[in-house]
Amino acid sequence: MQVKDCFVSAPGKAILHGEHAVVHGKVALAVSLNLRTYLRLKATATGKVCMNLPNIDTFLCWDLSELKQLVPYSCAKREELKCLDPELLRRLREFVGVTNGKLDTCNMATLAFLHIYLSVFGSGELPSLTVSVWSELPTGAGLGSSAAYTVCLAAALLCASGAIPIPLKEWDHTARWCQEDLELINSWAFQGEMIIHGNPSGVDNAVGTWGGMLRFLAGKIIPLSRVPLLRILLTNTKVPRSTKVLVARVKDRINKFPSVLPPVLDSVDAISCTCEKVLSEMTSEPITGEHYNILEELIDINQHHLNVMGVGHPALDTLCRVTLTRGLHSKLTGAGGGGCGITLLRPETDSSVVQSTVQDLTDCGFDCWETSIGGPGVQQHSRLSVKDEVLDVLNQY
Amino acid sequence: MQVKDCFVSAPGKAILHGEHAVVHGKVALAVSLNLRTYLRLKATATGKVCMNLPNIDTFLCWDLSELKQLVPYSCAKREELKCLDPELLRRLREFVGVTNGKLDTCNMATLAFLHIYLSVFGSGELPSLTVSVWSELPTGAGLGSSAAYTVCLAAALLCASGAIPIPLKEWDHTARWCQEDLELINSWAFQGEMIIHGNPSGVDNAVGTWGGMLRFLAGKIIPLSRVPLLRILLTNTKVPRSTKVLVARVKDRINKFPSVLPPVLDSVDAISCTCEKVLSEMTSEPITGEHYNILEELIDINQHHLNVMGVGHPALDTLCRVTLTRGLHSKLTGAGGGGCGITLLRPETDSSVVQSTVQDLTDCGFDCWETSIGGPGVQQHSRLSVKDEVLDVLNQY
């Protein structure tokens, strides 16, 4: 079977407002982060399936004949695969060589790939192909890098199999799928996330699929139709932290101060709702400085609230202080206790200011990217629309 | 008429929790600040009334014959003087030489003194005496320096007139008055505050009179019976600010974020109530490190909330950061936007840590005092119980 080549990308994810509060029944706003994961799928005639993940130094090839042996366990129809097939997963783990113990990033990426590949093609002939992936996202930083990866895998493999059409027209640079196809991509990506994370919320793959902004409340994910693209700096303090420990810390603090903390969660809920309203206004009326003033104030207030919840960190204080000296406002994003922060840039913020700020933050030992939030979800690219640096990496394979 | 000499002192005031929130119907906790104002009243035979206020370079003397001309306007009985006599005030202003315009500190102090002196003695013979006052409190810093002054004036002049007894026994170092006498002192001090401030809340003179801690809610002031004495640092950032402007700023912010800010005020209310409960426990059970942990966490949370209300200032951030590097927790006290902050010290905090911290804060350009909160209100002193440095100053007059 000969498949069609394709080039896809999917964005990372940041929490704009509502991290931690969402655990206690409040609204959170998740946004796409335009640090993207790029995947190139190339048809080959080698009789092999190859996977190149240069970010994690993983380069693997399997003979189709090897993979065919796993097929009987993956022949269930796509529509029936709403949850993972434990028997397929067991066989895959055995095949990859991890029968128990904690999986490393390489093993998880391999399992997710093979699971989607075998499930998508298992009912027919297995195609010979090479998948190469390059990501701008740091891994393990709470930025949805695994979901961006599984969304790209799902989109490219579903396209290659013909389960969804190739949306790119001759004259397009990029193209997206219709709602129904996106739902299929999202459900396959979610399966990949289950393999990697065990019990994911589904927010990361939804953001990777739909992009823009999502409202997340009590397990329900609602994509928001129109949001403006916002320039930001994304900073990784590189301070390691455990989301589980931080979630437990907030819970302990609520138990310790049962009258002081709950109103703070209510205030965070109101911040998310106010922010959603302001962003919606920014798409329907002329954007003014006052819109940005409000966004900045909400960022500052929420950062104080997150400190009150006990998930701040001196490195995050440094981020806020350093950016504020340039007139820029920052908050942690995600679990906190270190990890990443976002800094809002205004449309008129001069690139010299941005460069100086990036330099200041780099001097603090942080990694820092100028990017945006609210951009598109998974999309197909023409070769021309992919940045040279990404092409340079992927063309090596 | 020959009066008895006496030596009295009254404490300043700090807001422990609830500043600004109190304006919006929430609880505030006001505590006595053991930076005190000392007053020595000396009977003389010079036929003069002299007032020495070395803090503000004010040294004034009046012949009794001059003051007698004002007496007809101050002959109302003490019990009837629940509010200011506008005619007496007008005559006093004319006498002091300020018929209109803004009063300076010297004029206000003079008016308050003469008003209480003439009111207390006006129905009988005016005594020849010298009043000398020295205060450890900075003026105009929101620390109740004017109330400490008027409380001292009221206590000393009421004592001198025989309206209240001299509580000090031969063997005492310090002594306080009974509840009824304190109420009389407080009501005269409040009149002095009205002359100085126009429309005071009554909290400052109540703290100066009763000391300890007061619960302030919807204009009602409730002295709390027992509170522990807490070691603190009091820091004056010396950043000038206007309470009126800051109160307006909080109101504007509530109007701007009508769903985000009110829960924060609720949280501040809960902080005040939790703090009151913990302080009460500290007087009825053995004090533990956990009591102090909670007090520190409440300080940190409230400082974040005050920043959210918009009354923070970079100088206050510096105070918090500098003290935290020594493991000490700080918050602004009073209006914010600069002004003063308090830093909680633990009983076991080593004096070397305290000295280093004071040095660090002094290096930031701040004034810093090691003192305590929750100490006694107005009291009479034996000469032996007054610090040498205060005696040295007051003995010059």
Side-chain angles (χ1 to χ4, degrees):
Chain A
M1 180 191 179
Q2 176 77 12
V3 298
K4 287 184 193 137
D5 292 6
C6 75
F7 218 125
V8 299
S9 76
K13 167 223 69 177
I15 301 293
L16 185 53
H17 288 296
E19 50 272 273
H20 288 289
V22 73
V23 178
H24 303 276
K26 310 299 177 187
V27 171
L29 298 180
V31 286
S32 67
L33 177 70
N34 209 23
L35 296 176
R36 301 181 77 89
T37 294
Y38 294 86
L39 183 152
R40 197 194 53 187
L41 185 150
K42 224 164 65 174
T44 58
T46 55
K48 288 180 185 296
V49 169
C50 299
M51 184 186 84
N52 301 307
L53 310 177
N55 293 88
I56 55 170
D57 285 319
T58 297
F59 309 94
L60 296 169
C61 271
W62 303 273
D63 281 326
L64 287 179
S65 55
E66 289 181 89
L67 297 178
K68 271 178 190 146
Q69 295 170 17
L70 296 160
V71 168
Y73 297 96
S74 65
C75 60
K77 276 205 185 308
R78 199 177 56 231
E79 290 72 18
E80 295 160 15
L81 274 170
K82 289 291 170 197
C83 56
L84 289 177
D85 177 345
E87 178 55 19
L88 172 60
L89 201 56
R90 194 193 61 74
R91 289 288 294 239
L92 280 175
R93 282 170 167 258
E94 196 177 288
F95 178 75
V96 170
V98 281
T99 46
N100 53 35
K102 210 169 142 57
L103 303 174
D104 63 14
T105 309
C106 164
N107 287 330
M108 290 191 292
T110 307
L111 280 179
F113 170 69
L114 288 177
H115 180 263
I116 300 179
Y117 173 85
L118 290 170
S119 304
V120 166
F121 293 105
S123 54
E125 193 190 342
L126 293 185
S128 170
L129 54 80
T130 293
V131 158
S132 304
V133 181
W134 174 251
S135 183
E136 298 167 337
L137 289 160
T139 55
L143 299 176
S145 64
S146 67
Y149 169 71
T150 62
V151 168
C152 282
L153 280 180
L157 293 169
L158 287 168
C159 245
S161 75
I164 59 173
I166 286 188
L168 200 73
K169 303 286 174 291
E170 212 178 327
W171 53 84
D172 285 338
H173 290 305
T174 59
R176 306 197 64 225
W177 288 267
C178 71
Q179 200 57 26
E180 196 186 349
D181 296 338
L182 289 174
E183 268 157 27
L184 192 61
I185 293 169
N186 186 52
S187 64
W188 280 102
F190 184 62
Q191 293 209 18
E193 279 280 89
M194 282 199 284
I195 289 171
I196 295 172
H197 287 298
N199 188 24
S201 69
V203 167
D204 291 13
N205 48 282
V207 171
T209 303
W210 278 281
M213 185 163 77
L214 303 177
R215 183 179 229 268
F216 185 44
L217 173 61
K220 237 179 112 180
I221 297 165
I222 303 156
L224 298 172
S225 50
R226 293 179 65 200
V227 285
L229 192 71
L230 300 174
R231 289 174 77 193
I232 64 152
L233 293 181
L234 188 281
T235 302
N236 186 356
T237 66
K238 296 191 278 183
V239 175
R241 77 280 179 273
S242 151
T243 301
K244 202 177 280 183
V245 168
L246 288 157
V247 167
R249 190 186 295 172
V250 174
K251 205 175 163 195
D252 288 347
R253 228 169 146 74
I254 293 171
N255 289 335
K256 187 167 184 183
F257 297 108
S259 55
V260 175
L261 263 287
V264 176
L265 299 177
D266 291 339
S267 183
V268 171
D269 193 72
I271 288 168
S272 295
C273 296
T274 306
C275 182
E276 188 185 325
K277 189 164 155 280
V278 172
L279 292 177
S280 152
E281 282 172 13
M282 288 170 79
T283 63
S284 62
E285 56 186 61
I287 295 177
T288 66
E290 186 55 18
H291 286 124
Y292 275 92
N293 290 344
I294 295 175
L295 292 179
E296 287 174 349
E297 288 181 273
L298 293 175
I299 284 173
D300 290 344
I301 296 173
N302 200 354
Q303 177 63 15
H304 281 298
H305 287 352
L306 288 159
N307 274 303
V308 165
M309 292 181 218
V311 297
H313 188 277
L316 294 164
D317 295 340
T318 300
L319 166 64
C320 294
R321 197 169 59 252
V322 165
T323 55
L324 196 61
T325 62
R326 306 274 180 189
L328 304 173
H329 299 253
S330 306
K331 70 176 276 290
L332 69 85
T333 180
C340 292
I342 50 173
T343 305
L344 185 65
L345 303 174
R346 290 176 173 238
E348 70 272 18
T349 305
D350 199 80
S351 70
S352 68
V353 171
V354 176
Q355 288 319 307
S356 312
T357 310
V358 170
Q359 189 57 55
D360 291 348
L361 294 171
T362 308
D363 292 346
C364 294
F366 304 153
D367 288 339
C368 190
W369 298 266
E370 184 182 356
T371 180
S372 59
I373 52 177
V378 64
Q379 57 188 7
Q380 193 188 358
H381 290 265
S382 73
R383 191 162 286 252
L384 277 170
S385 73
V386 180
K387 292 183 255 187
D388 285 343
E389 65 242 51
V390 176
L391 279 181
D392 287 349
V393 173
L394 293 181
N395 280 342
Q396 295 169 30
Y397 311 102
Chain B
M1 181 190 180
Q2 176 78 13
V3 297
K4 286 183 192 139
D5 292 6
C6 74
F7 218 126
V8 299
S9 77
K13 168 223 67 173
I15 300 292
L16 185 52
H17 288 296
E19 49 272 273
H20 287 291
V22 72
V23 178
H24 303 277
K26 310 299 176 187
V27 171
L29 298 181
V31 286
S32 66
L33 176 70
N34 209 24
L35 296 174
R36 302 181 78 87
T37 294
Y38 294 86
L39 182 152
R40 198 194 53 189
L41 184 150
K42 222 161 71 172
T44 58
T46 56
K48 286 179 187 297
V49 169
C50 297
M51 184 185 85
N52 301 307
L53 310 177
N55 293 88
I56 54 169
D57 285 318
T58 297
F59 308 94
L60 295 169
C61 271
W62 302 273
D63 281 325
L64 286 178
S65 55
E66 288 181 90
L67 297 178
K68 271 180 190 145
Q69 294 169 20
L70 295 161
V71 169
Y73 296 95
S74 65
C75 60
K77 275 204 185 310
R78 198 176 57 232
E79 290 73 18
E80 295 161 17
L81 276 170
K82 288 292 170 195
C83 57
L84 289 176
D85 178 345
E87 177 56 20
L88 172 61
L89 200 56
R90 194 193 61 73
R91 287 288 295 239
L92 280 175
R93 279 170 169 259
E94 195 177 289
F95 178 74
V96 170
V98 280
T99 45
N100 54 34
K102 211 171 141 56
L103 301 174
D104 63 14
T105 308
C106 163
N107 286 330
M108 290 191 292
T110 306
L111 281 179
F113 169 69
L114 288 177
H115 180 263
I116 300 179
Y117 172 84
L118 290 170
S119 303
V120 166
F121 292 108
S123 55
E125 195 190 340
L126 294 184
S128 170
L129 55 81
T130 293
V131 158
S132 304
V133 181
W134 175 251
S135 183
E136 297 167 336
L137 289 160
T139 56
L143 299 176
S145 63
S146 67
Y149 168 71
T150 61
V151 168
C152 283
L153 279 180
L157 293 170
L158 286 168
C159 245
S161 76
I164 59 174
I166 286 187
L168 200 74
K169 302 288 174 290
E170 212 179 328
W171 55 84
D172 285 337
H173 289 305
T174 60
R176 305 198 64 227
W177 289 267
C178 69
Q179 200 56 24
E180 194 185 351
D181 295 338
L182 289 175
E183 269 158 27
L184 192 61
I185 292 169
N186 186 52
S187 64
W188 280 102
F190 183 62
Q191 294 210 15
E193 279 281 88
M194 282 199 282
I195 290 171
I196 295 172
H197 287 299
N199 188 24
S201 69
V203 167
D204 290 13
N205 48 281
V207 171
T209 302
W210 278 281
M213 186 163 77
L214 304 177
R215 182 178 228 269
F216 185 46
L217 174 61
K220 235 179 115 180
I221 298 166
I222 303 156
L224 298 173
S225 49
R226 293 180 65 201
V227 286
L229 193 70
L230 299 175
R231 287 173 79 194
I232 64 153
L233 293 181
L234 189 281
T235 301
N236 186 358
T237 65
K238 297 191 275 183
V239 175
R241 77 281 178 274
S242 151
T243 301
K244 202 178 280 184
V245 167
L246 289 158
V247 166
R249 190 186 296 172
V250 174
K251 204 177 164 194
D252 288 348
R253 229 169 145 74
I254 294 172
N255 289 336
K256 187 168 184 183
F257 297 108
S259 55
V260 175
L261 263 287
V264 177
L265 299 177
D266 291 339
S267 183
V268 171
D269 194 71
I271 288 169
S272 295
C273 296
T274 306
C275 183
E276 187 185 325
K277 189 164 154 280
V278 171
L279 292 177
S280 153
E281 281 170 14
M282 288 169 79
T283 63
S284 62
E285 56 185 63
I287 295 176
T288 67
E290 187 54 19
H291 286 124
Y292 275 93
N293 290 345
I294 296 175
L295 292 179
E296 287 174 348
E297 289 181 273
L298 293 174
I299 284 172
D300 290 343
I301 296 173
N302 200 354
Q303 177 63 14
H304 282 298
H305 287 352
L306 287 159
N307 274 303
V308 165
M309 292 181 217
V311 297
H313 188 276
L316 294 164
D317 295 341
T318 300
L319 166 65
C320 293
R321 197 170 59 252
V322 166
T323 55
L324 196 61
T325 63
R326 307 271 179 192
L328 304 173
H329 299 254
S330 306
K331 69 177 277 290
L332 69 84
T333 180
C340 292
I342 50 173
T343 305
L344 185 65
L345 303 175
R346 289 178 175 237
E348 70 272 18
T349 305
D350 199 82
S351 70
S352 68
V353 171
V354 176
Q355 287 319 307
S356 312
T357 311
V358 170
Q359 188 57 54
D360 291 348
L361 294 171
T362 308
D363 292 346
C364 294
F366 305 153
D367 290 338
C368 190
W369 297 265
E370 184 182 357
T371 180
S372 59
I373 54 176
V378 64
Q379 56 188 6
Q380 192 189 358
H381 290 265
S382 74
R383 190 162 287 249
L384 278 172
S385 73
V386 181
K387 293 183 256 190
D388 284 344
E389 64 241 50
V390 176
L391 278 181
D392 287 350
V393 173
L394 293 181
N395 279 342
Q396 294 169 32
Y397 311 102

